[in-house]
């Protein structure tokens, strides 16, 4: 086998009689790279795209170069470095191959810069080479050295007429595997060059493929590669795509873990799961059987594809993938883990073992992790209501050391998660000093709504950003908030209202700007339960009977009471000066107010008995408003089995200093 060298070397460039001949020689050099078909199919598209991408993308419908400047850089070397075809998992990556070639380690490399102008063409300048005029046999003046006038050329037509047919001819006698890779690569090059899928050359390619598929046992990975480029060329109704799907369906029960992940990626590209629902169901069942063989990269790819395919019904597979992910957690690369966490958030599923694996491996990993991974981890914890001390401590320490690496959205996601899950790290003093520094230096970089989210989350941790509250309450900021193209929604106004309320109740010394009264929301209750969770009917019905017996009737308490600041109280009881419970008719003589908070599971973090940030803030505010807050958590009340036990429990909670209660 010959060495993989370019036949059109640096010196052959100067033996071309015209610019058209020169470009044509570059095209023809693609065919002469080596006698190896694999090398032809690897280097031809890559080198050709590198040299021609600028010309094609700046051409008009007739394929001629426009009058705009087009520049590109091609690297040519004596010893060519061999690469594999594995990088062509998707034809969208083919454009990146040219740039990757620029980064390959060549023993000798020369840079050529080619600029195409409507009136001049700049030839490469290399030290130690004879002048262009000498090489071309011309006597141009020094001021015009290296410039010749050329006519536009249709590179696309030259590719279709000259280069592609010769490559296709060479592939006919190639071994089966090389022919498979080569045909798929050539089809991908047709996509890159925008060749009409009804043209004769593409028809010839497709005919070769039909013949090849019928005579050869092709691997699933190569089939999927072919299917992808055919889809990009002709769309989902391509005959080749249908043929690939049929071939994959036949061999689906024998797929390896890598092939299984590859099939998922191919199906995700089609974006039509209903078109191949039977194939999808069989693939899910086969994947469940392979679950213990899947590696980290397989799990990541499959999860990513399941999201694209909207396979919410595949709960069994998703749970098993999550469990498998927990066992290979330490093998995940940052990008792979981001995909896994994104998929679990999308499907709303997670496994306790997965959380355990996160807590075990992430604290060490976060310090040097991709900033996006750190933010996605916090976003995942927030969505799953997972209050993880080891993870949050590591994130806080990483923020202190690496805050300059984070973008403003990434910073916002980290602070918001800590606030809403009511976690105050041990290094909170340093963390909030760093946050204050970041807000001061990058205040204008934060999106208005993200900034409100950050400041609102701080009050859940009893940290009051007074230096910035006056800025968000200023008319300028409120106008900037409204200038984003949509009116202020209730959520943003609710956050501003609660921020204003927190400053009023907990920072009496603040004398700065306040939120205008006409922007206050009247009630914090909302459909998305952003500020308070409504009382759960099941827990209320459990408490109602024992409470009626304790207070001797329903007339001594009220439920779902709205307060003037906007909070809703689950159960309110009023006492007179002597500590006796007042009936509703005598509430005008109230001396003390008791707010019973019937806290169901949705008011707590999923893995601990810590209240969510919004619930902790609500209780603080109720206390500041003069209420005596009594918490009735579900995990205490559900342990009580008899009516008498529940009555005694409520009596001790509501009247802790009175041993007996009679009215």
């Amino acid at each position: 086998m010959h060495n993989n060298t370019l036949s059109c070397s640096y010196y052959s460039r100067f033996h071309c009689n015209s610019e058209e001949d020169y470009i044509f020689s570059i095209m023809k050099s693609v065919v002469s790279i080596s006698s190896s078909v694999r090398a032809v199919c690897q280097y031809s598209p890559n080198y050709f795209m590198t040299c021609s991408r600028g010309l094609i993308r700046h051409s008009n419908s007739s394929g001629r170069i426009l009058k705009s400047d087009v520049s590109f850089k091609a690297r040519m070397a004596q010893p060519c470095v061999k690469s594999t075809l594995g990088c062509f998992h998707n034809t969208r990556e083919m454009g990146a191959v040219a740039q990757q070639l620029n980064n390959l380690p060549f023993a000798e490399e020369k840079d050529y810069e080619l600029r195409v102008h409507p009136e001049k063409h700049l030839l490469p300048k290399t030290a130690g080479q004879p002048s262009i005029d000498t090489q071309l046999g011309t006597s141009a003046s020094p001021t015009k050295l290296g410039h010749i006038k050329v006519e536009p050329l249709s590179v696309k037509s030259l590719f279709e007429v000259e280069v592609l047919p010769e490559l296709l001819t060479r592939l006919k006698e190639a071994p089966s595997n090389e022919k498979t890779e080569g045909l798929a690569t050539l089809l991908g090059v047709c996509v890159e060059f925008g060749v009409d899928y009804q043209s004769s050359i593409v028809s010839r390619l497709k005919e070769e493929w039909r013949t090849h598929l019928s005579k050869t046992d092709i691997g699933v990975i190569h089939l999927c590669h072919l299917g992808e480029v055919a889809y990009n060329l002709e769309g989902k109704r391509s005959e080749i795509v249908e043929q690939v799907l049929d071939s994959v369906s036949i061999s689906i029960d024998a797929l390896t873990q890598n092939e299984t992940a590859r099939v998922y990626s191919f199906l995700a590209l089609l974006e039509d799961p209903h078109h191949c629902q039977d194939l999808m169901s069989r693939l899910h069942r086969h994947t469940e059987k392979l679950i213990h063989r899947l590696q980290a990269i397989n799990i990541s790819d499959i999860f990513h594809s399941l999201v694209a395919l909207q396979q919410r019904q595949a709960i069994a597979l998703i749970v098993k993938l999550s469990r498998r992910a927990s066992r290979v957690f330490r093998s995940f690369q940052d990008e792979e883990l981001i995909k896994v966490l994104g998929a679990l958030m999308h499907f709303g599923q997670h496994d306790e073992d997965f959380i355990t694996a996160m807590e075990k491996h992430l604290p060490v990993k976060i310090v040097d992790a991709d900033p996006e991974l750190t933010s996605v981890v916090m976003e995942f914890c927030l969505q799953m209501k997972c209050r993880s001390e080891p993870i949050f401590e590591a994130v806080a320490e990483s923020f202190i050391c690496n805050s300059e690496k984070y973008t403003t959205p990434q910073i916002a996601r980290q602070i918001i998660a800590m606030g809403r899950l009511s976690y105050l790290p041990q290094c909170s003093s340093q963390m909030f000093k760093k946050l204050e520094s970041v807000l001061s230096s990058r205040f204008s970089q934060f999106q208005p709504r993200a900034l409100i989210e950050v400041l609102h989350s701080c009050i859940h941790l009893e940290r009051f950003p007074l230096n910035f509250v006056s800025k968000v309450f200023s008319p300028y900021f409120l106008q900037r908030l409204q200038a984003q193209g949509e009116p202020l929604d209730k959520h943003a106004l609710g956050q501003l209202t609660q921020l204003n309320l927190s400053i009023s109740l907990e920072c009496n010394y603040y004398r700065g700007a306040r939120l205008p009264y006409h922007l206050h929301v009247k009630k914090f209750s909302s459909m998305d339960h952003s500020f308070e969770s409504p009382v759960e009917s099941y827990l209320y019905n459990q408490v109602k009977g024992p409470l009626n017996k304790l207070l001797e009737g329903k007339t001594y308490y009220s439920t779902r009471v709205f307060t003037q600041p906007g909070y809703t109280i689950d159960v309110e009881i009023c006492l007179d000066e002597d500590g006796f419970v007042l009936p509703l008719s005598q509430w005008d003589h109230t001396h003390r107010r008791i707010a019973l908070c019937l806290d169901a599971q949705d008011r707590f973090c999923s893995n601990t008995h810590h209240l969510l940030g919004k619930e902790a803030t609500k209780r603080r505010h109720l206390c500041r408003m003069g209420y005596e807050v009594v918490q009735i958590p579900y995990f205490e009340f559900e342990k009580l089995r008899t009516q008498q036990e529940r009555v005694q429990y409520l009596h001790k909670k509501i009247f802790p200093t009175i041993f007996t209660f009679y009215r």
Side-chain angles (χ1 to χ4, degrees):
M1 183 177 293
H2 300 294
N3 291 333
N4 297 331
T5 58
L6 293 175
S7 64
C8 184
S9 66
Y10 172 81
Y11 296 100
S12 68
R13 163 67 189 277
F14 300 103
H15 293 282
C16 303
N17 294 326
S18 66
E19 183 61 23
E20 288 87 344
D21 291 339
Y22 165 62
I23 296 180
F24 182 77
S25 68
I26 292 180
M27 305 283 191
K28 297 294 287 182
S29 70
V30 176
V31 182
S32 305
I33 291 176
S34 84
S35 60
S36 168
V37 176
R38 176 186 293 273
V40 169
C41 295
Q42 287 169 351
Y43 290 117
S44 299
N46 301 344
Y47 175 74
F48 189 78
M49 285 186 292
T50 306
C51 295
S52 308
R53 182 173 303 278
L55 297 174
I56 291 172
R57 294 192 177 178
H58 291 265
S59 62
N60 56 22
S61 58
S62 65
R64 296 191 175 275
I65 303 171
L66 298 177
K67 292 185 178 181
S68 59
D69 285 353
V70 183
S71 64
F72 58 85
K73 190 173 185 181
R75 295 193 176 186
M76 303 169 63
Q78 299 298 333
C80 205
V81 181
K82 183 177 180 181
S83 61
T84 65
L85 199 64
C87 59
F88 292 107
H89 287 318
N90 191 312
T91 55
R92 293 190 180 94
E93 296 177 0
M94 297 185 71
V97 174
Q99 185 172 357
Q100 292 174 5
L101 287 177
N102 287 341
N103 299 324
L104 288 176
F106 293 118
E108 269 183 48
E109 67 175 29
K110 299 181 178 65
D111 290 347
Y112 300 89
E113 197 164 332
L114 182 67
R115 288 189 179 274
V116 179
H117 297 272
E119 296 183 359
K120 63 182 180 178
H121 184 192
L122 179 62
L123 293 177
K125 303 175 182 178
T126 305
Q129 297 296 337
S131 68
I132 302 300
D133 300 291
T134 303
Q135 293 289 339
L136 293 177
T138 63
S139 56
S141 62
T143 56
K144 294 183 179 180
L145 186 64
H147 295 73
I148 57 175
K149 188 174 181 179
V150 299
E151 296 295 331
L153 178 67
S154 176
V155 180
K156 177 179 172 182
S157 299
L158 189 58
F159 171 75
E160 292 185 45
V161 175
E162 298 290 341
V163 177
L164 196 54
E166 189 160 351
L167 291 174
L168 191 55
T169 301
R170 288 196 170 208
L171 284 173
K172 282 188 175 182
E173 299 179 359
S176 176
N177 290 338
E178 292 186 353
K179 186 172 183 178
T180 300
E181 296 176 358
L183 287 173
T185 303
L186 288 181
L187 202 57
V189 174
C190 291
V191 176
E192 282 291 315
F193 276 79
V195 178
D196 185 359
Y197 72 92
Q198 295 180 340
S199 66
S200 59
I201 191 64
V202 174
S203 299
R204 184 179 170 188
L205 269 173
K206 292 192 292 185
E207 185 61 33
E208 286 286 340
W209 257 115
R210 278 190 284 269
T211 304
H212 190 57
L213 284 172
S214 62
K215 295 181 178 180
T216 309
D217 185 15
I218 303 175
V220 171
I221 292 179
H222 295 312
L223 279 173
C224 291
H225 176 208
L226 168 65
E228 287 180 352
V229 292
Y231 171 80
N232 287 327
L233 184 66
E234 297 183 296
K236 65 182 69 175
R237 300 189 182 278
S238 166
E239 294 180 10
I240 295 180
V241 171
E242 294 292 338
Q243 200 169 358
V244 167
L245 288 173
D246 292 340
S247 299
V248 170
S249 179
I250 293 173
S251 58
I252 200 158
D253 294 327
L255 298 179
T256 65
Q257 57 267 35
N258 291 331
E259 292 172 340
T260 300
R262 193 73 179 86
V263 172
Y264 272 111
S265 299
F266 173 55
L267 294 177
L269 178 68
L270 301 182
E271 297 178 347
D272 189 8
H274 301 291
H275 177 67
C276 45
Q277 192 61 49
D278 179 63
L279 175 61
M280 193 79 65
S281 299
R282 292 175 56 203
L283 186 60
H284 290 342
R285 291 193 295 270
H286 179 69
T287 306
E288 291 182 32
K289 296 177 183 177
L290 283 177
I291 204 73
H292 297 296
R293 299 181 186 177
L294 296 179
Q295 302 302 312
I297 189 172
N298 304 138
I299 296 170
S300 172
D301 290 342
I302 293 173
F303 261 133
H304 189 66
S305 300
L306 290 175
V307 172
L309 292 166
Q310 296 294 321
Q311 293 294 295
R312 293 184 178 275
Q313 73 278 9
I315 298 299
L317 174 60
I318 293 168
V319 172
K320 289 181 179 180
L321 285 172
S322 176
R323 291 174 181 170
R324 178 60 181 168
S326 65
R327 288 163 175 76
V328 297
F329 191 92
R330 63 186 304 172
S331 301
F332 282 113
Q333 300 296 320
D334 289 359
E335 291 183 3
E336 296 167 356
L337 192 52
I338 289 172
K339 290 180 182 179
V340 172
L341 294 172
L344 292 176
M345 286 190 285
H346 178 81
F347 294 119
Q349 299 289 331
H350 73 283
D351 181 68
E352 290 184 4
D353 292 339
F354 186 79
I355 301 296
T356 302
M358 286 179 61
E359 293 180 334
K360 179 179 180 180
H361 299 290
L362 275 179
V364 178
K365 186 182 184 71
I366 280 177
V367 178
D368 300 318
D370 184 339
E372 182 62 18
L373 174 60
T374 304
S375 301
V376 171
V377 166
M378 295 301 285
E379 190 177 5
F380 173 81
C381 290
L382 176 58
Q383 181 170 320
M384 301 303 171
K385 297 182 180 180
C386 176
R387 188 179 188 270
S388 172
E389 180 176 348
I391 293 176
F392 283 21
E393 287 293 337
V395 169
E397 292 174 3
S398 176
F399 176 74
I400 293 170
C401 301
N402 304 313
S403 60
E404 67 281 352
K405 296 193 326 187
Y406 296 114
T407 64
T408 52
Q410 290 170 347
I411 293 172
R413 280 184 281 175
Q414 295 177 40
I415 302 302
I416 289 169
M418 288 191 184
R420 292 186 182 177
L421 295 176
S422 191
Y423 185 85
L424 192 65
Q426 296 178 7
C427 55
S428 60
S429 176
Q430 295 171 285
M431 188 186 79
F432 281 102
K433 283 182 181 178
K434 178 63 71 173
L435 177 60
E436 184 176 5
S437 173
V438 169
L439 290 174
S440 298
S441 60
R442 302 165 68 180
F443 187 87
S444 60
Q445 297 178 20
F446 282 86
Q447 290 296 318
R449 291 179 186 271
L451 186 61
I452 293 174
E453 295 270 8
V454 170
L455 300 182
H456 181 258
S457 298
C458 289
I459 68 172
H460 294 327
L461 301 174
E462 297 186 72
R463 296 296 185 272
F464 308 103
L466 300 182
N467 293 339
F468 307 100
V469 167
S470 58
K471 293 184 179 181
V472 299
F473 288 160
S474 68
Y476 168 76
F477 183 86
L478 295 175
Q479 289 175 1
R480 182 185 168 201
L481 191 62
Q482 292 175 317
Q484 288 188 309
E486 56 186 46
L488 290 175
D489 55 33
K490 188 176 180 180
H491 180 74
L493 290 176
Q495 289 179 320
L496 289 171
T497 302
Q498 194 171 42
L499 189 59
N500 184 79
L501 178 62
S502 185
I503 298 301
S504 300
L505 294 176
E506 302 179 272
C507 301
N508 297 329
Y509 48 86
Y510 175 73
R511 295 293 181 268
R514 299 296 181 111
L515 182 68
Y517 183 76
H518 70 277
L519 294 179
H520 288 207
V521 298
K522 301 300 183 288
K523 293 187 291 187
F524 286 121
S525 57
S526 60
M527 294 296 294
D528 58 359
H529 310 152
S530 298
F531 305 98
E532 59 178 7
S533 301
V535 62
E536 186 186 73
S537 299
Y538 178 75
L539 181 59
Y540 171 73
N541 290 331
Q542 284 187 312
V543 173
K544 182 172 63 175
L547 186 61
N548 287 339
K549 186 172 183 180
L550 175 66
L551 301 180
E552 297 183 353
K554 300 179 181 179
T555 60
Y556 290 95
Y557 66 91
S558 182
T559 60
R560 299 179 177 87
V561 180
F562 291 103
T563 63
Q564 190 275 331
Y567 290 116
T568 304
I569 297 176
D570 299 336
V571 177
E572 182 175 353
I573 301 172
C574 293
L575 308 178
D576 63 12
E577 293 183 359
D578 298 324
F580 291 103
V581 179
L582 292 172
L584 298 178
S585 59
Q586 298 180 24
W587 274 23
D588 291 341
H589 305 289
T590 297
H591 182 69
R592 295 165 54 196
R593 296 181 183 274
I594 298 176
L596 260 63
C597 297
L598 310 184
D599 296 327
Q601 190 171 1
D602 60 346
R603 296 183 179 180
F604 294 89
C605 297
S606 61
N607 60 333
T608 69
H609 291 158
H610 290 88
L611 285 169
L612 297 175
K614 61 181 179 180
E615 298 297 335
T617 298
K618 176 181 176 180
R619 281 149 181 72
R620 291 201 326 268
H621 288 179
L622 289 176
C623 290
R624 292 280 183 171
M625 291 160 54
Y627 284 90
E628 296 180 22
V629 177
V630 176
Q631 184 179 354
I632 311 295
Y634 77 97
F635 52 84
E636 290 182 359
F637 198 80
E638 289 180 352
K639 292 179 181 179
L640 308 173
R641 299 303 178 188
T642 65
Q643 179 90 336
Q644 183 177 1
E645 288 178 341
R646 292 178 175 180
V647 171
Q648 291 176 351
Y649 172 84
L650 292 176
H651 181 265
K652 291 179 180 179
K653 280 280 189 175
I654 301 172
F655 310 107
T657 60
I658 304 176
F659 294 98
T660 59
F661 179 76
Y662 297 99
R663 181 72 174 133

